[in-house]
Amino acid sequence: MKHKTQNERLAREVLTDREAKRAFVRQMFDRIADRYDLLNHLLSMGIDILWRKKAIDQLQPAPRWRILDLATGTGDLGFEAGKRGGDIQVIGADLSLPMLRRGEKKNASQTNPVAFLCGDGECLPFADGAFDGLTIGFGIRNMASLDAALGEMCRVLKPGGRVAVLEFSRPRTPGFRGVYNFYFERVLPRIGHLISRDPNAYRYLYESVMRFPEGGDFCRYMADAGFVDVQTIRLTFGIATLYLASKP
Ligand SMILES: C[S@@+](CC[C@H](N)C(=O)[O-])C[C@H]1O[C@@H](n2cnc3c(N)ncnc32)[C@H](O)[C@@H]1O
């Protein structure tokens, strides 16, 4: 059970300490930035593309909305939002410069480019009420403090603004759950290690998803941060969940 011991050590050393987690997460994404998109689409078999479309469909951005795509990484969720037309302006913020540089390169093929900037989701460089909509895809789990990040997300939204949070969750369907857990804990970290050349990245993915307060627990975090009308949509047997909410 070598992998269990390694996972436990990673969780003890990184996931329980706020500063250690922030530094670990940034350095990890800095290292894997060049292979991030390939790994994403390969390991999810392209389903991540459909999840991002669904997130923006449900957000229902209106013409001339200003949207913040937080933890934007290489920008895919922001690009999806920008495709909806109607002069939507998308700003993408992330902690990792190498991830943002990849996104900047992808801007060349977009009709509505994302304005990328380096920023910490727990201390956003924007005024109160600066955005009509906010998206965050597979980023909230990586924040060192969930309360701080959700508080900032609510602060920078206008009253009546809407948020879409896309995040991994844990499937509950009997049968599927066992097969998926085996793939997620045992197979995916090995393929992830080979392609990303980072032994910890996909071990971290597994541990962080197992520890994330998903479903109703996460809805309570959102409500505590000030969001209302919190709804959840479970995607692909619950591998991921879309959380939608508004600022009152
Ligand atoms: C799994 S990637 C998701 C990227 C993109 N949203 C997507 O859908 O593919 C998570 C991103 O969160 C970023 N991140 C982690 N902590 C952050 C923080 N405190 N502030 C801003 N970005 C952060 C990482 O740098 C990384 O790019």
Side-chain angles (χ1 to χ4, degrees):
M1 286 308 198
K2 192 174 153 210
H3 75 280
K4 286 234 182 278
T5 318
Q6 287 169 331
N7 285 13
E8 276 159 19
R9 190 183 320 130
L10 178 79
R12 197 172 52 243
E13 289 172 2
V14 172
L15 296 179
T16 50
D17 181 287
R18 199 169 155 175
E19 289 313 315
K21 181 174 175 183
R22 183 182 289 107
F24 173 87
V25 164
R26 188 173 49 74
Q27 287 161 13
M28 180 184 77
F29 283 105
D30 284 358
R31 281 195 304 271
I32 68 168
D34 286 349
R35 293 166 297 271
Y36 176 80
D37 285 335
L38 170 71
L39 276 159
N40 235 356
H41 304 326
L42 188 75
L43 295 174
S44 76
M45 293 177 249
I47 299 171
D48 62 308
I49 297 168
L50 302 179
W51 292 340
R52 289 192 188 85
K53 280 193 200 306
K54 175 94 179 174
I56 305 302
D57 286 347
Q58 293 292 325
L59 184 73
Q60 296 177 343
R64 287 182 295 284
W65 261 25
R66 195 166 184 246
I67 298 178
L68 174 64
D69 182 36
L70 182 55
T72 189
T74 60
D76 282 355
L77 191 54
F79 292 137
E80 190 57 43
K83 278 182 200 158
R84 302 306 156 112
D87 285 337
I88 288 172
Q89 185 193 358
V90 185
I91 287 138
D94 199 281
L95 211 51
S96 163
L97 269 176
M99 291 288 276
L100 291 166
R101 283 196 198 106
R102 296 293 299 182
E104 193 65 60
K105 282 191 187 149
K106 285 154 71 177
N107 255 343
S109 60
Q110 299 296 319
T111 45
N112 187 2
V114 169
F116 289 109
L117 67 88
C118 196
D120 185 349
E122 296 173 44
C123 182
L124 287 169
F126 304 110
D128 297 0
F131 296 95
D132 304 283
L134 193 150
T135 55
I136 176 165
F138 312 104
I140 195 72
R141 171 179 42 85
N142 293 302
M143 298 287 162
S145 164
L146 207 47
D147 291 320
L150 286 169
E152 280 294 86
M153 286 161 60
C154 197
R155 180 184 68 76
V156 300
L157 267 183
K158 285 181 185 160
R162 285 174 52 77
V163 61
V165 180
L166 191 54
E167 192 47 88
F168 286 114
S169 45
R170 301 181 284 276
R172 297 175 197 148
T173 314
F176 179 77
R177 185 178 54 190
V179 175
Y180 177 75
N181 282 350
F182 181 80
Y183 170 74
F184 196 40
E185 186 182 10
R186 309 298 296 270
V187 180
L188 188 138
R190 288 194 167 93
I191 307 174
H193 181 179
L194 272 178
I195 302 178
S196 72
R197 292 175 227 131
D198 188 310
N200 278 332
Y202 285 79
R203 215 176 270 152
Y204 163 79
L205 174 66
Y206 175 80
E207 282 303 317
S208 61
V209 171
M210 289 302 131
R211 282 170 167 71
F212 185 70
E214 58 153 34
D217 290 339
F218 184 65
C219 292
R220 277 185 283 283
Y221 272 92
M222 291 191 83
D224 288 348
F227 290 107
V228 293
D229 301 329
V230 186
Q231 297 168 44
T232 60
I233 301 177
R234 287 178 78 79
L235 306 168
T236 323
F237 301 106
I239 296 176
T241 298
L242 175 61
Y243 303 87
L244 298 156
S246 306
K247 178 169 173 173

